[in-house]
Amino acid sequence: MKKTIYKASNVNINKAVDILNESGVIAFPTETVYGLGGDASCESSIKKIYIIKNRPLHNPLIIHVASLEEAKMIGKLNNTAMKMAKAFWPGPLTLLVEKKRNNGITPAATSNLDSIAIRVPSNPIILKILNTFGKPIAAPSANLSGTVSATNASHVFDDFGDDIEMILDGDKCAHGIESTIVDVRSENIQILREGAITKDQIFKITKLQLDAYDGHKILSPGQLKKHYSPKARVRINVKRPNADEYFITFGEKNNNNHINTINLSSTGDMHKFAHRLYACLRDLDSMNIKKIAISPIPHQGIGRAINDRIKRASK
Ligand code: TXA
Ligand code: MG
């Protein structure tokens, strides 16, 4: 019995806020992936998140707030940050900015760094939780560290069972891939993690050339080479899958008459592909499938984020 999954009714959202007020940890949908959240000002709540997720303490959490005004209370938003926040919040963009002193966020949530990653989500359930709670919520993705993010409530339950007091069920996540993280602390803005907002969308707003992240410094541990990994072995850029592989593809012509083919978007819509990918990888794991092959993904738009994740999944 999945007794920790609750419908996201007003009554249950209020219960979730009670849990947060008692230093507990809850899971909730966002428009990207499910989050595992706790009171960002409370050290014991944050410690629980790290333990439940088996996450290394040096990997800081994203701080979720209800509005730009709240974001300004915890981080220093320069002109570029303001421009981007106004264009993309609420939404799947995380801004890495300088932390404000005495901002009330426990240093444990940001791994004692001087920077802070902030996002205002657009999913109505997490927004309602944030507004009712009235304080920032620190939340990593709701999956065991290093594995594929959860895009529905059952995935969260599969990873954590009853370790979390409450999982609010908000159906599937709209994007199904994590937020884009951009370091906007200097003029040389850098995408630290490709995600639901594309590089082209950001360029249109900022007109600033985005520096490619060179991967030398592990600034954002989501950039670890192996991450987002299912149990199965994953091969990428595959045109001809082997007989024993499940083949994940898109479009009309990519089937190759391969028997175990999963077409994530027959029209070739890569947003749909991204939206379904994590659930597909998790489903194949639950079927105990050992080998997965994935078609070449065009490296543009959301395809850049997909390529980033499947490359790490294949390590
Ligand atoms: O879409 C998302 O961003 C989801 C939802 C729940 O909001 N959250 C998410 O969190 O993906 P997580 O913890 O799985 O990934 C956050 C990434 C990590 O790679 C972390 O290292 C990086 O953000 N990060 C957070 N704070 C940082 C900081 N101060 N400096 C550098 N990287 C930071
Ligand atoms: Mg994660």
Side-chain angles (χ1 to χ4, degrees):
M1 244 292 268
K2 298 182 175 181
K3 65 176 191 309
T4 50
I5 298 185
Y6 292 79
K7 214 177 98 193
S9 62
N10 286 342
V11 172
N12 288 335
I13 287 178
N14 287 336
K15 275 192 198 155
V17 170
D18 289 344
I19 294 173
L20 291 175
N21 277 319
E22 288 155 14
S23 315
V25 170
I26 57 164
F28 45 74
T30 81
E31 70 279 17
T32 56
V33 297
Y34 273 67
L36 185 65
D39 179 349
S41 66
C42 169
E43 189 179 347
S44 69
S45 157
I46 300 307
K47 281 191 171 156
K48 280 182 203 161
I49 294 179
Y50 279 91
I51 291 168
I52 295 171
K53 243 189 97 95
N54 194 20
R55 181 177 177 109
L57 290 171
H58 66 263
N59 191 354
L61 308 180
I62 295 177
I63 309 301
H64 297 67
V65 290
S67 66
L68 175 54
E69 274 54 53
E70 283 188 24
K72 287 197 284 190
M73 283 154 55
I74 58 174
K76 295 183 189 163
L77 276 70
N78 58 21
N79 287 342
T80 314
M82 286 299 289
K83 221 191 239 179
M84 289 178 65
K86 283 180 182 158
F88 298 112
W89 283 351
L93 174 77
T94 297
L95 292 174
L96 186 71
V97 300
E98 225 182 289
K99 190 165 86 174
K100 260 198 176 164
R101 273 171 185 269
N102 305 320
N103 63 1
I105 307 294
T106 170
T110 51
S111 306
N112 285 309
L113 295 170
D114 294 330
S115 61
I116 185 166
I118 312 176
R119 140 170 148 83
V120 180
S122 63
N123 174 285
I125 298 168
I126 175 60
L127 266 184
K128 189 145 198 201
I129 297 170
L130 281 164
N131 279 309
T132 313
F133 183 51
K135 286 195 284 179
I137 294 176
S141 52
N143 54 282
L144 288 169
S145 191
T147 68
V148 180
S149 297
T151 53
N152 68 40
S154 295
H155 295 161
V156 182
F157 187 86
D158 291 345
D159 277 19
F160 301 114
D162 298 330
D163 284 355
I164 313 173
E165 283 172 72
M166 184 179 234
I167 301 168
L168 284 169
D169 189 352
D171 209 359
K172 293 184 196 127
C173 301
H175 293 283
I177 196 156
E178 299 82 356
S179 63
T180 305
I181 305 179
V182 188
D183 182 349
V184 287
R185 287 174 295 173
S186 75
E187 279 292 291
N188 301 327
I189 69 172
Q190 260 199 340
I191 296 194
L192 297 186
R193 180 177 71 183
E194 305 263 4
I197 303 268
T198 64
K199 193 176 169 183
D200 302 341
Q201 282 174 288
I202 296 169
F203 180 72
K204 264 192 200 144
I205 296 297
T206 59
K207 296 287 182 292
L208 289 173
Q209 205 50 52
L210 284 166
D211 281 355
Y213 178 62
D214 64 11
H216 286 318
K217 274 189 304 197
I218 300 292
L219 200 60
S220 192
Q223 298 302 92
L224 290 174
K225 279 201 175 114
K226 187 172 165 64
H227 210 92
Y228 310 103
S229 304
K231 294 191 195 90
R233 194 203 67 190
V234 176
R235 278 203 311 137
I236 57 176
N237 289 321
V238 176
K239 291 195 175 130
R240 289 177 182 281
N242 298 327
D244 60 349
E245 287 175 322
Y246 267 66
F247 187 42
I248 302 179
T249 187
F250 63 92
E252 273 173 10
K253 295 183 214 136
N254 279 336
N255 282 349
N256 269 333
N257 296 324
H258 185 73
I259 185 154
N260 288 318
T261 291
I262 303 166
N263 192 321
L264 293 184
S265 168
S266 55
T267 59
D269 176 342
M270 297 321 279
H271 283 276
K272 202 173 261 176
F273 186 98
H275 179 245
R276 294 179 171 168
L277 177 65
Y278 288 165
C280 175
L281 295 175
R282 279 182 172 262
D283 287 348
L284 291 175
D285 268 352
S286 66
M287 288 159 61
N288 218 8
I289 301 305
K290 300 281 184 249
K291 293 178 184 174
I292 298 172
I294 307 181
S295 280
I297 306 294
H299 202 60
Q300 63 204 34
I302 193 74
R304 296 175 63 92
I306 298 171
N307 276 327
D308 173 76
R309 303 303 190 274
I310 61 177
K311 197 167 155 194
R312 291 173 214 285
S314 72
K315 296 284 177 196

